[in-house]
Amino acid sequence: MTTIRDVAQQAGVSPATVSRVMNGLVGYTDATRQRVEGAIKKLNYEPDSLARTLKTRQTSVIGLLAPMVSDALASEVMRGVEDAARERGYAVMLGRTGVKSTFIAGYLRTLRTYRAAGVILISAVITPEMRQLLGPAIPIISVAISDNSGSPSVAINDELAAYDATRYLLKLGHRRIGLLAGDPVSVFVAQPRQRGYERAMIEAGCATVTAAGTFFYESGAPGLAQLLQQDPDLTAIFAMSDEMGAAVVNELQKLGRRVPEDVSVLGFDNTSTSQHVHPALSTIAQPLEEMGQIAVRKILRSRDLGPRVVQHRLIKRGSTGPPRASS
Amino acid sequence: MTTIRDVAQQAGVSPATVSRVMNGLVGYTDATRQRVEGAIKKLNYEPDSLARTLKTRQTSVIGLLAPMVSDALASEVMRGVEDAARERGYAVMLGRTGVKSTFIAGYLRTLRTYRAAGVILISAVITPEMRQLLGPAIPIISVAISDNSGSPSVAINDELAAYDATRYLLKLGHRRIGLLAGDPVSVFVAQPRQRGYERAMIEAGCATVTAAGTFFYESGAPGLAQLLQQDPDLTAIFAMSDEMGAAVVNELQKLGRRVPEDVSVLGFDNTSTSQHVHPALSTIAQPLEEMGQIAVRKILRSRDLGPRVVQHRLIKRGSTGPPRASS
DNA sequence: TTGTAAGCGTTATCAG
DNA sequence: CTGATAACGCTTACAA
């Protein structure tokens, strides 16, 4: 391994000078700079991040905790994080949530010993334990979920997004709209979305019909059954995830109902799954990749922490249309 | 930050002794061990990985390069890698392939300066440049792809898997089986699979019908069109990815052909996508998570490098059945 | 402008 | 069995 000393010797200067040149500090002649740069190039020298971090306490890693289960969403966010981090010279260290909390504690400790610049948490809320484990120096931010504690976060306004989605179906002429909710445990995603749906329905004078799912594909079919049991004449289903939406589309066709002629289906997230059914799912898009980038920027500018709301977008595809009666 | 000195002071011993206790070396009485352990616990001390690595040159990070595009596959592998790494006290550093090669060069340099224990490459081949960039000390291994260079790898036997898949369709009674291939650029995945298909078809005295796709969903419909143009009476389609398989199922139904009554469809990979269509895709499973774990183990036991073949498995679901004529 | 020297938090060698 | 002490590769006062 070639060290700063080797370079210094090669260039006929002291290690300190080499360091100065590398870090663009002042205090050397142009001639020595050139000699040093020549030596660096010649020896193909690369400074040791570890030693540097040990000394300066300035780190170059960002921690990323993702739930590697329902992945399409996390995957998009990760792409944004990875891009933004690399651009700025940061490395990304990966961990999984959705595992035992002792694991995530261990992971946070590792990040602390690596003096991470910050931690990004996908689809999970920041707990006081996490905050405490990281210590005051390391910021943590959540993505795609916003508790109302004022913790740093990047997320859409879930309540408003669901409200807009429901309004869209109402405007198409639907009155009997069922909601296939996500895991009710997920207080900060499923609940605001449900509130948004209810608000729109109530404003329009329509009755609400809801069933609880898990966000996963498997819960789509039983959820649909529950909804149809409550109201067999539903003309639209709003699912809180594309996976459930896709399952609903498939299941409806199995039951002999056409989409969207008999029943419209609307998904959520605009993950690739939404394109994997026919007709393709209309859905609410979150700017996931951008959210990952924003999270990195916020972490690195540690002042602007606090919640950041990004815009959702309605994407119209083949799975929604006006209801039978009004067409 | 609490250091080894703080612990030493608290326990009334020297830093050296604390280090000995932590690392389970010999040379201290039971009494001092207990005092040290007490101090560690009391101060909630965590040794600094950076300083430790700087000194010992033994690292605790593993690099992971994944193509974050056609993600379901990579995601499963990543889960296995992450699990196995964590179990052994290693952190995972994430990078993306499929970006500019200068980026991946930079990424490998970063890994070298972090003294990574090794690098795992998903769905990509190890180039001589990569090997050179990492230097002789850091092993690199590819997962889910096997060039024939003898480089370290963990993969199924793609030729055999495709052969078995085709044999399965033949045994069901199909004779007109179309192959929807992946990106032909992917020499070490698409090509062996195509050879396996051709071998089985030729052995059975059947004509081969192939079209080239991209592995992605979008290429499914045009690929199917190409196949049907060559032989409108195909009774089975073997797609080299679940995504293309799913697209074929959806497209067939759009064309008014029933699956599997009119046409059987077989996918590849057993990713979640295979369950997102109705009927669910029969497919060839790769033990992706296990492959990730094996990769970590191989990296950490740097002797058993070299290609490792794991078993594929045929998974029968609703998308395949006997052809019309023979039923 | 440049070099010397003292650390950053560990571990390893060598005395005691 | 234990404690000084010297590295690991880098940065940064402080001197020159």
Side-chain angles (χ1 to χ4, degrees), chain A residues 299-317:
Chain A
I299 283 283
L300 262 29
R301 288 202 293 262
S302 34
R303 37 189 158 192
D304 86 305
L305 291 173
R308 161 77 181 269
V309 176
V310 293
Q311 294 309 307
H312 59 272
R313 209 170 84 244
L314 175 66
I315 296 190
K316 301 176 189 175
R317 298 207 185 91

Side-chain angles (χ1 to χ4, degrees), chain A residues 277-280, chain B residues 217 221 224 247-259:
Chain A
V277 286
H278 182 78
Chain B
Y217 187 89
L224 174 64
V248 167
V249 167
N250 287 331
E251 187 69 11
L252 281 169
Q253 289 172 343
K254 211 154 110 190
L255 296 176
R257 307 218 193 179
R258 287 169 312 161
V259 177

Side-chain angles (χ1 to χ4, degrees), chain B:
Chain B
M1 191 182 194
T2 95
T3 77
I4 199 172
R5 269 173 232 277
D6 303 328
V7 177
Q9 192 165 10
Q10 171 74 227
V13 298
S14 76
T17 298
V18 176
S19 175
R20 281 191 270 262
V21 171
M22 280 196 311
N23 297 298
L25 303 180
V26 292
Y28 43 82
T29 61
D30 229 49
T32 60
R33 182 179 56 76
Q34 288 184 12
R35 281 220 311 292
V36 169
E37 284 172 347
I40 288 178
K41 195 148 285 172
K42 179 170 177 191
L43 298 179
N44 194 20
Y45 165 72
E46 191 77 19
D48 184 322
S49 317
L50 258 47
R52 182 177 274 177
T53 300
L54 181 62
K55 180 65 185 167
T56 62
R57 332 206 87 208
Q58 293 179 34
T59 186
S60 52
V61 346
I62 290 179
L64 178 63
L65 273 163
M68 297 229 203
V69 256
S70 72
D71 242 30
L73 186 148
S75 198
E76 293 274 322
V77 177
M78 285 167 69
R79 169 149 67 214
V81 168
E82 210 274 333
D83 270 356
R86 185 175 23 64
E87 263 176 29
R88 293 165 178 75
Y90 284 77
V92 175
M93 268 198 185
L94 185 66
R96 271 173 60 205
T97 57
V99 287
K100 277 198 235 153
S101 68
T102 61
F103 290 167
I104 111 125
Y107 182 72
L108 293 179
R109 262 199 298 275
T110 303
L111 285 173
R112 208 182 45 181
T113 76
Y114 273 97
R115 294 188 178 77
V119 177
I120 295 172
L121 202 54
I122 303 180
S123 299
V125 295
I126 301 166
T127 65
E129 296 78 50
M130 292 180 184
R131 263 266 41 102
Q132 197 227 325
L133 233 32
L134 282 173
I138 305 180
I140 181 168
I141 185 171
S142 65
V143 177
I145 199 170
S146 59
D147 58 14
N148 39 20
S149 71
S151 315
S153 65
V154 186
I156 59 169
N157 181 331
D158 280 293
E159 198 273 350
L160 186 58
Y163 176 80
D164 287 348
T166 311
R167 293 277 307 163
Y168 162 66
L169 293 171
L170 287 164
K171 262 188 199 135
L172 281 175
H174 296 277
R175 317 251 85 204
R176 293 161 168 263
I177 304 171
L179 175 71
L180 181 45
D183 191 341
V185 172
S186 131
V187 179
F188 298 109
V189 173
Q191 269 189 16
R193 289 184 191 172
Q194 176 146 1
R195 281 199 303 274
Y197 159 80
E198 285 168 353
R199 180 158 68 90
M201 292 297 272
I202 289 168
E203 280 180 15
C206 297
T208 62
V209 183
T210 70
T214 62
F215 286 118
F216 294 111
Y217 187 89
E218 291 67 30
S219 68
L224 174 64
Q226 271 186 53
L227 290 173
L228 290 178
Q229 192 183 348
Q230 293 173 66
D231 181 353
D233 299 323
L234 253 23
T235 64
I237 311 274
F238 174 27
M240 279 194 195
S241 75
D242 287 338
E243 307 218 323
M244 293 192 298
V248 167
V249 167
N250 287 331
E251 187 69 11
L252 281 169
Q253 289 172 343
K254 211 154 110 190
L255 296 176
R257 307 218 193 179
R258 287 169 312 161
V259 177
E261 292 83 355
D262 300 329
V263 183
S264 284
V265 182
L266 185 58
F268 209 145
D269 290 341
N270 192 33
T271 56
S272 59
T273 306
S274 61
Q275 314 243 35
H276 289 357
V277 286
H278 182 78
L281 268 184
S282 295
T283 192
I284 304 292
Q286 307 195 43
L288 296 169
E289 186 165 347
E290 190 192 340
M291 287 158 71
Q293 294 171 340
I294 292 174
V296 171
R297 287 205 292 271
K298 280 175 78 85
I299 282 283
L300 264 29
R301 288 202 294 262
S302 34
R303 37 189 159 192
D304 85 307
L305 292 174
R308 160 75 180 270
V309 176
V310 294
Q311 294 309 307
H312 58 271
R313 212 170 81 244
L314 175 66
I315 296 190
K316 302 176 189 175
R317 298 208 185 90
S319 70
T320 49
R324 243 291 176 46
S326 78
S327 69

